[in-house]
C-alpha cells in the first residue's frame, strides 16, 4: 500500500515537470540580453581586439561578423557536448584546439571562394581564435550548460558583437571614405567635394567612435561602472 | 641598422595597440593599476620575444610549401599551411606553460608578480598577431626576433602609460555613462594621436 502511493507521487512529480519550451522566457533571455544590456563588447569588455581592426569598411566587417557568429555557435555547441569529458587542467588547450579548427575552416573557405576578401582581412581571420568573446563565453557559459542553451547564448553573443562592429564600421566608412557599402553617399546627394576624414580611416577613429557608442548605449541602459 | 629601425618601428609606429588593436582585451582589463600593468607588460615582452622566433622556425621548416625537403626530397610539394593556426596556438599555449614553470623555478619573486598574468597571455591577441604578421611580412629570423621584442615593448609601453593616466582619472568627475570603458576608449584614441607623431621618424 505504502509503496504504491509512493510510486504514484513519484509519477505525479515526473508528470508535473514538462519539457521546457524551445523558446521559453529564460531561453529568450540568452539571446536578447547580449544584444543590449549584457553586450559582449560594451558591457563585458570582450572581443575588442579583432573587432576594431576590420571596421574601416562595412563589407569586410559583415564578412567578419558572419565568420565570428559561425565560429562561436559551433564552438559553443561542440564544447558543451564534451564539457564533462574535458579534464579541468587542460581545458584551455582543448578549447583552443576546437576554436582553431573552426577558424581554419572559415579561413580556407574564404580563401577558396573570396580571395580578395581573404587578403583584405589578412591576419585578422586567424585572430578570431584569440577573440576574447569566444574564449570568455566558452569558459563562463558553455563549460557549464547544455548544448541547446549554449547555442542560444552563442547566437546572442555573436549578434551582440556583430551589431556593435557594424555600427562602428558604418560611421567610419561614412565619415572616413564618404560612402556606405562603397556607394558614394555624399556625391549622390550633390556634395561632390565632401572632405573625408583621415582620422576616421585610421585606428584612432575606431577608438573614438566606439567610446562614444559605449557612452550613448550606457546612458540608455543606465549601466554604470564602479571602480 | 635595418634591425634597429625595424625595432623602433615595431615599438612606436606599428604599435600593437594603437595601430592594430591587438591585445585590447587585456589592455583594457588590466590597466587599472600601474604595478599590475608593469607585470603584464613584462610578461608580454617575454612571451612575444620567445614565441615569434619559434613560430618562424616552425613556419620555415615544417609548414611552408616545400619546407619539408630537408626530410626527404619527395616532400617538395607538401603544403601544410592550413595547419598554421592550430600549430601556432599550440606553440603559444605550450610556451606559456613552459615559461610559467621555468619562472616559478628560477625566480619565485618574478613568478609572484607575473603569476596570474601568464595563463592570460595565451589568449592575448597580440601574441598570435605577432606570429601571423611575421609570416605575412616575410621576415628573416633576426628580423622576427627583433620584431617580437619590439612589439612586446610597444604593448608594455602603451599599457603602462594608460594605467598611469587611469590612476589619476580616479579623482575626476566624469558623466556616469562614460565611466570606465567609454572614457578609456577615448583616452586610447588621444594616446593614438600622440603616437601618430612618430610616423615621420626615420633612422
Amino acid at each position: 500500500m505504502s509503496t504504491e502511493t509512493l510510486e504514484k507521487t513519484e509519477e505525479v512529480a515526473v508528470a508535473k515537470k514538462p519539457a521546457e519550451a524551445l523558446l521559453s522566457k529564460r531561453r529568450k533571455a540568452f539571446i536578447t540580453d547580449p544584444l543590449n544590456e549584457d553586450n559582449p563588447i560594451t558591457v563585458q569588455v570582450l572581443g575588442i581586439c579583432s573587432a576594431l581592426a576590420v571596421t574601416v569598411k562595412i563589407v569586410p566587417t559583415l564578412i567578419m561578423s558572419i565568420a565570428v557568429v559561425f565560429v562561436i555557435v559551433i564552438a559553443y555547441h561542440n564544447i558543451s557536448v564534451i564539457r564533462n569529458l574535458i579534464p579541468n587542467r587542460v581545458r584551455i588547450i582543448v578549447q583552443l584546439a576546437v576554436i582553431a579548427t573552426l577558424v581554419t575552416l572559415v579561413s580556407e573557405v574564404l580563401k577558396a571562394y573570396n580571395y580578395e576578401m581573404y587578403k583584405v582581412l589578412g591576419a585578422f581571420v586567424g585572430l578570431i581564435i584569440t577573440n576574447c568573446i569566444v574564449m570568455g563565453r566558452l569558459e563562463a557559459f558553455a563549460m557549464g550548460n547544455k548544448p541547446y542553451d549554449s547555442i542560444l547564448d552563442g547566437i546572442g553573443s555573436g549578434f551582440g558583437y556583430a551589431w556593435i562592429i557594424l555600427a562602428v564600421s558604418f560611421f567610419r566608412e561614412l565619415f572616413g571614405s564618404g560612402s556606405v557599402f562603397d556607394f558614394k553617399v555624399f556625391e549622390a546627394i550633390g556634395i561632390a567635394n565632401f572632405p573625408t576624414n583621415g582620422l576616421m580611416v585610421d585606428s584612432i577613429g575606431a577608438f573614438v567612435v566606439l567610446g562614444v557608442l559605449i557612452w550613448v548605449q550606457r546612458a540608455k541602459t543606465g549601466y554604470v561602472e564602479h571602480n | 641598422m635595418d634591425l634597429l629601425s625595424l625595432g623602433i618601428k615595431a615599438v612606436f609606429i606599428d604599435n600593437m595597440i594603437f595601430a592594430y588593436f591587438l591585445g585590447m582585451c587585456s589592455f583594457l582589463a588590466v590597466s587599472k593599476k600601474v604595478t599590475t600593468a608593469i607585470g603584464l607588460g613584462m610578461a608580454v615582452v617575454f612571451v612575444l620575444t620567445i614565441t615569434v622566433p619559434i613560430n618562424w622556425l616552425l613556419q620555415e621548416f615544417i609548414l611552408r610549401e616545400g619546407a619539408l625537403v630537408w626530410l626527404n626530397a619527395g616532400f617538395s610539394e607538401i603544403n601544410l599551411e592550413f595547419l598554421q593556426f592550430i600549430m601556432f596556438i599550440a606553440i603559444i599555449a605550450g610556451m606559456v606553460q613552459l615559461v610559467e614553470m621555468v619562472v616559478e623555478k628560477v625566480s619565485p619573486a618574478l613568478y609572484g608578480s607575473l603569476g596570474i598574468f601568464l595563463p592570460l597571455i595565451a589568449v592575448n591577441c597580440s601574441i598570435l598577431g605577432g606570429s601571423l604578421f611575421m609570416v605575412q611580412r616575410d621576415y628573416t629570423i633576426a628580423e622576427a626576433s627583433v620584431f617580437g621584442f619590439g612589439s612586446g615593448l610597444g604593448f608594455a609601453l602603451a599599457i603602462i602609460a594608460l594605467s598611469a593616466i587611469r590612476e589619476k582619472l580616479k579623482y575626476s568627475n566624469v558623466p556616469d555613462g562614460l565611466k570606465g570603458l567609454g572614457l578609456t576608449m577615448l583616452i586610447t584614441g588621444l594616446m593614438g594621436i600622440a603616437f601618430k607623431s612618430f610616423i615621420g621618424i626615420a633612422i
Side-chain angles (χ1 to χ4, degrees):
Chain A
M1 177 66 197
S2 62
T3 50
E4 215 173 62
T5 48
L6 196 71
E7 267 174 20
K8 244 184 189 170
T9 49
E10 259 181 15
E11 246 171 46
V12 171
V14 170
K16 262 186 184 166
K17 205 178 141 202
E20 199 177 352
L22 272 184
L23 278 176
S24 64
K25 210 172 180 188
R26 185 179 69 92
R27 285 179 166 159
K28 257 185 208 156
F30 289 147
I31 297 188
T32 52
D33 275 0
L35 291 185
N36 195 11
E37 282 142 38
D38 202 16
N39 191 285
I41 293 187
T42 62
V43 177
Q44 298 177 36
V45 202
L46 295 174
I48 298 177
C49 332
S50 66
L52 295 176
V54 296
T55 51
V56 177
K57 290 260 169 94
I58 294 182
V59 181
T61 313
L62 201 63
I63 304 267
M64 187 71 177
S65 317
I66 294 169
V68 169
V69 170
F70 171 81
V71 171
I72 287 184
V73 171
I74 312 252
Y76 282 20
H77 170 261
N78 291 358
I79 289 290
S80 182
V81 167
I82 59 169
R83 69 183 187 282
N84 294 326
L85 301 174
I86 305 175
N88 206 31
R89 284 191 70 94
V90 296
R91 64 180 196 286
I92 302 271
I93 304 255
V94 174
Q95 290 165 3
L96 281 177
V98 169
I99 299 167
T101 314
L102 289 165
V103 171
T104 307
L105 210 63
V106 168
S107 141
E108 293 294 312
V109 168
L110 203 59
K111 208 192 281 182
Y113 289 101
N114 197 341
Y115 192 68
E116 289 298 305
M117 200 47 78
Y118 175 79
K119 278 173 113 179
V120 171
L121 290 175
F124 292 101
V125 179
L127 287 170
I128 298 176
I129 298 173
T130 47
N131 188 321
C132 315
I133 297 179
V134 185
M135 283 298 286
R137 296 301 294 170
L138 267 184
E139 274 284 291
F141 196 91
M143 283 299 283
N145 283 283
K146 289 188 177 155
Y148 182 64
D149 289 352
S150 303
I151 291 178
L152 292 182
D153 186 73
I155 294 174
S157 300
F159 282 101
Y161 166 87
W163 87 258
I164 293 281
I165 65 169
L166 283 171
V168 172
S169 70
F170 173 78
F171 287 114
R172 282 183 79 186
E173 186 172 352
L174 184 64
F175 295 116
S177 325
S179 61
V180 172
F181 281 108
D182 287 329
F183 173 75
K184 297 276 176 202
V185 180
F186 290 107
E187 276 175 26
I189 58 172
I191 314 171
N193 54 355
F194 179 78
T196 53
N197 189 342
L199 273 187
M200 278 292 178
V201 179
D202 209 278
S203 52
I204 297 153
F207 290 124
V208 175
V209 169
L210 189 63
V212 174
L213 206 65
I214 288 167
W215 187 8
V216 170
Q217 206 231 7
R218 285 186 176 180
K220 269 196 172 161
T221 57
Y223 176 89
V224 179
E225 202 172 304
H226 294 286
N227 286 328
Chain B
M1 220 49 191
D2 274 352
L3 287 181
L4 183 65
S5 86
L6 180 76
I8 301 240
K9 204 163 165 256
V11 177
F12 294 108
I13 301 165
D14 286 345
N15 188 290
M16 277 285 177
I17 297 281
F18 299 119
Y20 298 109
F21 313 95
L22 296 180
M24 284 302 290
C25 302
S26 31
F27 178 73
L28 296 172
V30 197
S31 58
K32 281 182 183 148
K33 278 178 71 186
V34 173
T35 43
T36 48
I38 292 175
L40 182 76
M42 296 252 299
V44 168
V45 174
F46 210 46
V47 174
L48 257 177
T49 314
I50 296 174
T51 54
V52 175
I54 289 188
N55 280 338
W56 186 89
L57 292 174
L58 192 74
Q59 172 76 13
E60 192 68 16
F61 292 110
I62 296 178
L63 296 176
R64 243 174 29 149
E65 186 170 6
L68 285 172
V69 180
W70 60 274
L71 266 181
N72 184 333
F75 289 164
S76 63
E77 287 191 348
I78 292 179
N79 182 1
L80 293 177
E81 253 176 16
F82 65 94
L83 288 176
Q84 200 183 54
F85 295 152
I86 287 199
M87 297 294 280
F88 279 10
I89 202 76
I91 289 279
I92 289 168
M95 282 316 296
V96 168
Q97 200 95 82
L98 198 70
V99 166
E100 197 179 347
M101 288 192 297
V102 169
V103 171
E104 190 180 8
K105 189 87 183 161
V106 175
S107 161
L110 183 63
Y111 181 75
S113 58
L114 293 187
I116 21 166
F117 299 118
L118 277 172
L120 258 181
I121 284 177
V123 288
N124 188 323
C125 315
S126 60
I127 311 287
L128 183 63
S131 292
L132 292 177
F133 282 144
M134 169 271 294
V135 173
Q136 232 175 27
R137 295 175 191 165
D138 284 329
Y139 285 144
T140 64
I141 185 149
E143 285 171 338
S145 314
V146 172
F147 172 72
F149 179 70
S151 311
L153 215 57
F155 179 88
L157 193 68
I159 193 169
I160 293 169
L162 180 72
S163 65
I165 296 178
R166 281 183 80 173
E167 271 193 3
K168 294 277 179 238
L169 271 178
K170 260 187 220 153
Y171 307 109
S172 44
N173 188 13
V174 282
D176 274 351
L178 205 55
K179 268 182 192 159
L181 183 60
L183 191 60
T184 312
M185 291 309 286
L186 294 182
I187 296 168
T188 314
L190 290 177
M191 285 169 73
I193 296 179
F195 265 71
K196 283 287 151 209
S197 59
F198 289 115
I199 282 182
I201 293 178
I203 295 176

